[in-house]
Amino acid sequence: MMNLPKTVIEIKDLKKSYGANHVLNGFDMHLVEGENLVIMGKSGSGKSVMIKCLIGLEKPDSGVIMVMEKDISTLEREELDELRTEVGFLFQGSALYDSMTVRENLEFPLRRHTKKFGIIKDTTPLVMEALENVGLTHTLNLMPEELSGGMKRRIALARTLILQPKIILYDEPTTGLDPITAKEIILLMKSIQKKYNTSSIIITHDVDCARAISNKMILLVDGVNYAEGTFEELNTSKDPKIQAFFK
Amino acid sequence: MEKTTSQKIRLGLFVIIGLLIFILAIYFIGDKEKMFGKTNHLKTTFNNVNGLQLGNSVRYSGISVGTVRGIEMINDTSIRVDMIIDKAIFPYIKKDAVATISSDGLVGNMIISIIPGKGNEPSVDPGDEISSNNRIRTEDMMNTLNETNKNAAKLTSNLLKITNEIIEGKGTLGLLLNDTLMSKDLRETMRYLKSTTKKTSETVTKIDQLVTSLDKSDNAIGVIKDPAVANKIKNMVTNLDQSTIELNKVISHLDATILNLKEGKGTINYLSNNPELVQKIDSTMTNINGASFKLNQNMEALKHNFLFRGYFKKQEKEKAKAAKK
Amino acid sequence: MKTILKIIELFKSFLLDIGELSLFAGRFFKEVFKSPSEYREFIRQCFYMGNRSLLLVTVTGFIIGLVFTLQSRPTLQEFGAVSWMPSMVSISIIREIGPIITALICAGRIGSGIGAELGSMRVTEQIDAMEVSGTNPFKYLVVTRILATTFMLPILVFFGDVIALYGSYLVENIKGNVSFLLYFNKVFEALEFGDLIPATIKTLFFGFAIGLVGCFKGYNCKKGTAGVGLAANSAVVFTSMLLFIIDFIAVFVTNIFYHL
């Protein structure tokens, strides 16, 4: 047998509810190193909640979340922050700080992570490298409002990359973009994955995106993982519920 | 970790109740003011508190030392006022200190001011009662002021009258100063006087000599240096003068009459031959003389008056200087 | 019956608000002493807030001083006590009008600004982004802003007071021919540290309330753009109410200290 790849994220029996609204009812998954996992689901099926639980933005009601072999519910704030440098998060709406320039946006994550990088005297090389990765070096001193939606998304990706994470979580990376820009983003994601050898979880309901990038897919229905498999396996499935996603 | 909604609601309720209790507490603390044990009580009794209220301040020699804590009627005429006073002040308040009610400025609050005692008495003890003085009310003060004002007004009006009379020439002094006719007469009289003086100078010199001799032989009769005695002597001289003048006048009148008779001028003739008129003139002259004498006396009095002493001394000095030259 | 239930529900949500605000304040005090201190952001916020409100405070302060003097002049004139004008105006401005007016203006200006800013940051997930990038957003956004309002408000109030007194002086100068020197001599004669210090302490609390409520409403903003507007709006309303409560308490507390 081959050596099994290392598992970087493992979720067991994750439950989360808001009042009477049960969003997650025992979700399980695991992510191995170098894998691109696509999670698909309807709006409100708990994808975003799941991914936020994963990074500690939301507290699950029950269940275990292991990230890099650490149970995040037991971590102190400092440890959690340290772990978060290894886990990048690309927000749905880019979430650039609009009171700061692009440069400041990119420098912002660096201010607190002196442990990983030491004390950085000059952030310019890191910032430029990150911008080069997304091909937007000329926007260095612009404000976020001067950028288009696609550029914002790319800057946000650059901001995520600047900490050189091992895992990147994408929250609907192509939503709200035109198909061409979406394709660009997908290409970018692929190239980054190759360059830095990251593992990713991609939340989306964009079939093209899923096809282009996924090694493995999970279909999330009513708070549980309804089906698992590669894109091809699921695409050819006879289950009408699964079929509904690919129409 | 995460608080549930009901926990949050309970917390909110707790915070609001806590806040209310806090406000009430500080309100009562504020109300009780000097409740932090640094004060003691002192009592006094008034028969009229003139609108004194709880919380009005108490002053001792002008320093604010406490507040009024209680006002109660103890019988139909007296009101007991309870004050709380800074402990540190107690040693300085003697048993004979007196409390009065006054007002802090004309439109200000009522205050109790404690007027220090004479100082030999022992200090008051906490809870003691000190005597009181029913204060002069503002109205009383106003009344007194009014009275004074009235008097002042009267005084000034009198002064005005006097000065007016002087200007208009009424009264002896005014007459003397202003009447041109009279001054003419006076001049005339002076002329008479001059001539008379010549005649009487001899007598005066003699008296002078007498005085000087008295001065020199300063023993028993040295008392005559006393200004009163000197005045009397002056009187004597003046009287002498007067009589001489009168004599002189008669003589001059006689002269004039004779002259008139000689020249036969109408008016003067008539004048000189009118004995009544002569008599009148004569009496006027007497009056004038009397007046000038009085003036003289006044001047003398003025000289002695301390206000003018300097002035006269200065004049004398200048005279002496001139004489030296 | 329905209205009673509604009232109870309203009261409950009010209590919930208070409870959450208290927790929020508690969190502030827990985090304010924790390192790392966001010193530079604090300075930036101070500068930003002072800068943003200065003109407004200047204009309102000037007008308040002017109008206050104009309005109270006839009454004092009736008593022939116009010479008391400087002392009266200065005491009422320093003790009460200056702090409360400036605080209300800043509640409208800064408080709503914070509410809207943090609200929109919450809605667009910027706060989450900070959290994920290893920065404690509560410390970076909330603590610095609350500290900034707490320390900037006394300065703004002091500035407003001075401007208001100047406005009052102008009226006196034009109407009563009072010289600059005489006016301010009288002002300083009337003022004591006993007037200035409690007023300044009070403004610290005012500033804290403005920052706290603004941040609380913004930080816990509901999703959606309507939530941002609501956050800004309720921040102002809640702050204004809180300001008067603080003022009310401050009067009592000050009285106690005056009598000590």
Side-chain angles (χ1 to χ4, degrees), chain A residues 42-78:
Chain A
K42 287 190 287 186
S43 296
S45 60
K47 308 178 305 260
S48 289
V49 174
M50 187 277 294
I51 211 169
K52 278 182 179 166
C53 285
L54 195 59
I55 196 94
L57 285 174
E58 299 271 359
K59 287 237 171 335
D61 298 337
S62 69
V64 183
I65 301 169
M66 300 290 286
V67 178
M68 318 274 289
E69 288 152 359
K70 282 173 187 151
D71 184 351
I72 63 156
S73 62
T74 61
L75 292 179
E76 289 296 311
R77 190 173 177 95
E78 285 76 26

Side-chain angles (χ1 to χ4, degrees), chain B residues 277-320:
Chain B
L277 195 71
V278 173
Q279 220 177 347
K280 266 186 188 164
I281 291 173
D282 192 45
S283 65
T284 316
M285 285 304 145
T286 324
N287 281 345
I288 290 170
N289 270 325
S292 59
F293 166 64
K294 273 177 191 159
L295 191 71
N296 204 20
Q297 258 183 334
N298 282 346
M299 288 309 273
E300 202 64 31
L302 270 178
K303 261 190 208 178
H304 290 282
N305 189 312
F306 75 100
L307 280 173
F308 294 96
R309 200 180 286 156
Y311 170 71
F312 282 106
K313 267 190 185 160
K314 207 172 156 193
Q315 267 197 337
E316 267 170 33
K317 262 185 200 166
E318 269 170 13
K319 263 184 202 165

Side-chain angles (χ1 to χ4, degrees), chain B residues 52-78:
Chain B
L52 189 76
Q53 285 174 322
L54 292 184
N56 277 138
S57 60
V58 178
R59 290 188 188 166
Y60 178 68
S61 303
I63 314 166
S64 190
V65 294
T67 49
V68 174
R69 285 283 292 125
I71 300 170
E72 53 167 342
M73 294 293 295
I74 46 173
N75 57 46
D76 52 349
T77 53
S78 9

Side-chain angles (χ1 to χ4, degrees), chain C residues 69-231:
Chain C
T69 310
L70 276 174
Q71 296 280 38
S72 38
R73 213 165 186 284
T75 319
L76 281 188
Q77 219 157 24
E78 220 166 279
F79 287 111
V82 183
S83 65
W84 287 358
M85 202 73 200
S87 21
M88 196 193 88
V89 169
S90 61
I91 284 184
S92 44
I93 283 178
I94 297 284
R95 274 199 187 178
E96 192 52 55
I97 296 177
I100 196 77
I101 295 273
T102 313
L104 284 174
I105 285 168
C106 289
R109 182 83 181 164
I110 299 177
S112 67
I114 291 174
E117 191 187 2
L118 293 195
S120 64
M121 285 183 90
R122 166 64 77 197
V123 168
T124 58
E125 297 180 306
Q126 289 179 47
I127 290 177
D128 286 339
M130 278 187 187
E131 180 87 47
V132 169
S133 69
T135 298
N136 182 349
F138 193 89
K139 249 193 104 65
Y140 184 80
L141 297 172
V142 174
V143 173
T144 53
R145 276 171 174 76
I146 293 179
L147 284 181
T149 52
T150 308
F151 290 110
M152 284 317 281
L153 196 70
I155 295 171
L156 284 172
V157 165
F158 188 74
F159 187 77
D161 286 349
V162 172
I163 296 290
L165 285 180
Y166 184 74
S168 164
Y169 152 72
L170 275 190
V171 173
E172 280 297 287
N173 183 261
I174 291 161
K175 289 220 163 190
N177 224 354
V178 176
S179 76
F180 187 81
L181 196 65
L182 177 66
Y183 188 86
F184 282 92
N185 251 339
K186 288 210 162 191
V187 165
F188 287 119
E189 209 171 273
L191 289 179
E192 292 167 2
F193 276 109
D195 296 320
L196 201 59
I197 288 171
T200 308
I201 293 171
K202 185 164 75 177
T203 54
L204 283 174
F205 281 100
F206 284 172
F208 178 73
I210 292 170
L212 183 75
V213 178
C215 287
F216 169 68
K217 290 289 180 187
Y219 201 75
N220 295 328
C221 177
K222 304 278 184 301
K223 297 273 169 183
T225 27
V228 178
L230 194 71

Side-chain angles (χ1 to χ4, degrees), chain B residues 78-317:
Chain B
S78 9
I79 301 157
R80 154 106 16 102
V81 175
D82 186 18
M83 302 170 277
I84 45 170
I85 308 271
D86 200 337
K87 262 184 185 169
I89 296 294
F90 268 78
Y92 307 110
I93 306 178
K94 307 296 179 198
K95 293 231 181 205
D96 59 348
V98 179
T100 62
I101 295 178
S102 51
S103 88
D104 191 7
L106 275 181
V107 286
N109 279 323
M110 289 295 151
I111 53 169
I112 292 186
S113 39
I114 300 174
I115 297 157
K118 291 289 176 286
N120 296 328
E121 295 277 323
S123 303
V124 287
D125 297 314
D128 270 3
E129 183 157 349
I130 56 172
S131 57
S132 71
N133 199 353
N134 276 312
R135 81 184 190 103
I136 311 162
R137 294 198 224 169
T138 323
E139 306 97 82
D140 296 343
M141 234 156 72
M142 285 303 187
N143 282 343
T144 323
L145 260 174
N146 204 18
E147 201 75 16
T148 320
N149 271 345
K150 268 183 196 161
N151 285 344
K154 241 183 240 172
L155 208 70
T156 39
S157 76
N158 281 347
L159 260 172
L160 194 70
K161 220 189 269 175
I162 290 167
T163 41
N164 271 344
E165 278 176 1
I166 288 172
I167 291 161
E168 284 164 18
K170 281 182 199 162
T172 347
L173 196 67
L175 216 64
L176 235 161
L177 289 175
N178 285 318
D179 198 326
T180 39
L181 194 82
M182 197 55 88
S183 64
K184 258 184 206 163
D185 281 350
L186 209 71
R187 226 173 286 148
E188 230 173 306
T189 321
M190 285 303 159
R191 229 184 296 139
Y192 292 147
L193 269 173
K194 247 184 222 166
S195 57
T196 330
T197 329
K198 265 179 202 165
K199 282 166 192 168
T200 47
S201 62
E202 255 174 77
T203 337
V204 178
T205 323
K206 271 176 193 170
I207 292 169
D208 231 45
Q209 272 170 353
L210 180 73
V211 174
T212 350
S213 67
L214 280 173
D215 252 3
K216 277 175 184 171
S217 60
D218 45 8
N219 301 328
I221 328 164
V223 261
I224 214 153
K225 269 169 90 183
D226 187 280
V229 185
N231 257 355
K232 269 179 194 167
I233 290 172
K234 217 172 268 172
N235 264 356
M236 260 162 62
V237 175
T238 327
N239 288 344
L240 204 75
D241 271 5
Q242 232 171 322
S243 48
T244 336
I245 289 159
E246 267 161 56
L247 200 79
N248 211 29
K249 247 187 273 173
V250 183
I251 292 165
S252 62
H253 280 311
L254 272 173
D255 266 7
T257 323
I258 291 162
L259 203 76
N260 284 344
L261 277 172
K262 265 185 188 169
E263 287 180 7
K265 271 181 187 170
T267 0
I268 302 172
N269 203 7
Y270 163 76
L271 201 95
S272 58
N273 288 324
N274 192 345
E276 217 182 319
L277 195 71
V278 173
Q279 220 177 347
K280 266 186 188 164
I281 291 173
D282 192 45
S283 65
T284 316
M285 285 304 145
T286 324
N287 281 345
I288 290 170
N289 270 325
S292 59
F293 166 64
K294 273 177 191 159
L295 191 71
N296 204 20
Q297 258 183 334
N298 282 346
M299 288 309 273
E300 202 64 31
L302 270 178
K303 261 190 208 178
H304 290 282
N305 189 312
F306 75 100
L307 280 173
F308 294 96
R309 200 180 286 156
Y311 170 71
F312 282 106
K313 267 190 185 160
K314 207 172 156 193
Q315 267 197 337
E316 267 170 33
K317 262 185 200 166

Side-chain angles (χ1 to χ4, degrees), chain A residues 85-133:
Chain A
T85 66
E86 306 295 339
V87 184
F89 195 118
L90 182 70
F91 285 90
Q92 192 175 346
S94 309
L96 295 179
Y97 311 126
D98 27 53
S99 58
M100 303 179 198
T101 64
V102 168
R103 190 202 174 104
E104 285 166 334
N105 260 293
L106 292 177
E107 283 170 345
F108 193 83
L110 294 172
R111 347 177 1 264
R112 285 297 157 225
H113 293 298
T114 46
K115 248 186 200 163
K116 188 166 176 177
F117 298 102
I119 292 161
I120 305 158
K121 289 248 171 65
D122 186 15
T123 56
T124 316
L126 281 166
V127 171
M128 290 315 282
E129 191 197 333
L131 282 178
E132 258 166 48
N133 283 333

